[in-house]
Amino acid sequence: MENLRGIVLMVVSMAGFALADTFIKLISDEIPVGEMLLVIGLGGTAIFMVWAKMSGLAMFKRDFFSPLILIRSAGEMIGTFGFVTALALTPLSSASAILQATPLAVTLGAALFMQEQVGWRRWSATLIGFIGVVMIIRPGLAGFQPASLFALLAVVGLSIRDLATRATPRDMPSIRLGIYGFAALIPSGAVLLAINGPAVLPSPIQSAALLATIVLDVAGYYALTLAMRMGDVSIITPFRYSRILLAIAIGMTVFGERPDLWTLIGSAVVIASGLYIFAREGRHRAAT
């Protein structure tokens, strides 16, 4: 039952993120990326601060300025900026497909920077997964969209964030990490808005979309945190890939997108590589 609850929470989390992505894309033609980052950062930080207050937790501590948290915050800023920009400029389905390479990049980073033991099978799966990303992006070919590189930037940033999160002390509350993560978007959004401004006064519909994005992102984060803390991680984590299936369905029904054959094949390669890596990690944990 713990595994089943974890799977349901993971799928709910991915659905929340996919819907939040949809709202961002719907308003991205009228609202600047910097303004969206600033509003999402302020809203998410406020929600988590209220949550911390209700839970009796300190909202900010000295660890906010520790090198590890600063690295995590930098990764959050880079990753969120890259993905929101990719959503604004490229199809939802392709941006989401490229983002699914994040677990592959985390495996690579863990081996290079955290001395994690990665056997030749996981190295091979990681390489094949990145070949899948190249299939989606197709640099130098007719289907290449330069803006898709923003999604690749998101993979780099979010991988840095996830690796730093792995290294944070286990006794650090997830709520405080949520505050730190959303707070990191505030200065990045403000700087980007100052460079590319001006700000736009959202219409009531656009304001509702921004509010929905904030609520869905926070709910998705909370459901993801719960999912990763129950049951068998190697069983629950692969359901992260439900996000790409939802993104393709939403892209086709809401935005009229029609992913081409290379995007579908590349997505399948990325997902298969990630599932294999999760399976190998599960066996490794069981053996140790």
Side-chain angles (χ1 to χ4, degrees):
M1 288 302 296
E2 283 288 290
N3 284 337
L4 180 59
R5 292 190 190 99
I7 289 169
V8 170
L9 284 168
M10 180 63 75
V11 174
V12 168
S13 170
M14 295 302 105
F17 289 139
L19 289 172
D21 297 343
T22 303
F23 284 116
I24 288 174
K25 188 161 185 64
L26 284 169
I27 63 174
S28 60
D29 287 339
E30 293 84 21
I31 306 295
V33 170
E35 184 173 347
M36 286 192 287
L37 291 178
L38 179 60
V39 172
I40 292 170
L42 288 169
T45 301
I47 290 175
F48 273 109
M49 287 178 70
V50 171
W51 191 356
K53 182 70 173 176
M54 293 174 62
S55 302
L57 296 172
M59 299 177 192
F60 289 93
K61 297 186 75 172
R62 289 184 179 179
D63 57 16
F64 180 73
F65 297 102
S66 68
L68 186 62
I69 295 300
L70 291 176
I71 291 172
R72 184 181 185 276
S73 298
E76 188 80 65
M77 288 189 284
I78 294 168
T80 306
F81 162 73
F83 190 58
V84 171
T85 305
L87 286 174
L89 300 177
T90 65
L92 173 65
S93 53
S94 63
S96 298
I98 295 169
L99 191 70
Q100 302 315 304
T102 302
L104 306 177
V106 169
T107 298
L108 178 64
L112 294 177
F113 303 112
M114 301 178 72
Q115 288 75 52
E116 184 172 311
Q117 294 298 316
V118 176
W120 68 268
R121 292 181 180 86
R122 280 198 284 168
W123 275 117
S124 300
T126 301
L127 176 61
I128 292 171
F130 283 121
I131 292 173
V133 173
V134 174
M135 290 180 182
I136 299 169
I137 297 177
R138 298 190 294 282
L141 300 179
F144 174 60
Q145 292 182 309
S148 63
L149 296 177
F150 283 109
L152 204 56
L153 179 65
V155 171
V156 173
L158 296 179
S159 299
I160 293 171
R161 180 202 65 184
D162 289 351
L163 287 168
T165 301
R166 280 191 183 192
T168 55
R170 290 186 176 273
D171 59 353
M172 179 177 289
S174 298
I175 296 175
R176 190 178 302 139
L177 283 176
I179 294 174
Y180 294 171
F182 277 96
L185 303 183
I186 298 173
S188 60
V191 170
L192 191 62
L193 187 60
I195 296 172
N196 298 327
V200 175
L201 181 64
S203 67
I205 293 177
Q206 292 166 345
S207 298
L210 283 169
L211 178 60
T213 299
I214 294 168
V215 172
L216 288 166
D217 273 337
V218 171
Y221 177 91
Y222 181 57
L224 177 63
T225 302
L226 289 178
M228 296 304 293
R229 289 185 168 181
M230 64 173 60
D232 189 333
V233 173
S234 64
I235 293 175
I236 295 168
T237 302
F239 285 86
R240 293 178 73 120
Y241 289 114
S242 59
R243 182 173 182 173
I244 180 57
L245 302 177
L246 293 167
I248 290 175
I250 292 171
M252 295 178 68
T253 56
V254 177
F255 301 106
E257 298 174 2
R258 293 295 181 268
D260 60 22
L261 182 60
W262 282 110
T263 298
L264 295 175
I265 293 175
S267 300
V269 170
V270 171
I271 292 173
S273 300
L275 291 175
Y276 180 80
I277 287 173
F278 289 140
R280 292 296 304 180
E281 287 178 349
R283 292 177 186 175
H284 178 73
R285 290 193 190 99
T288 56

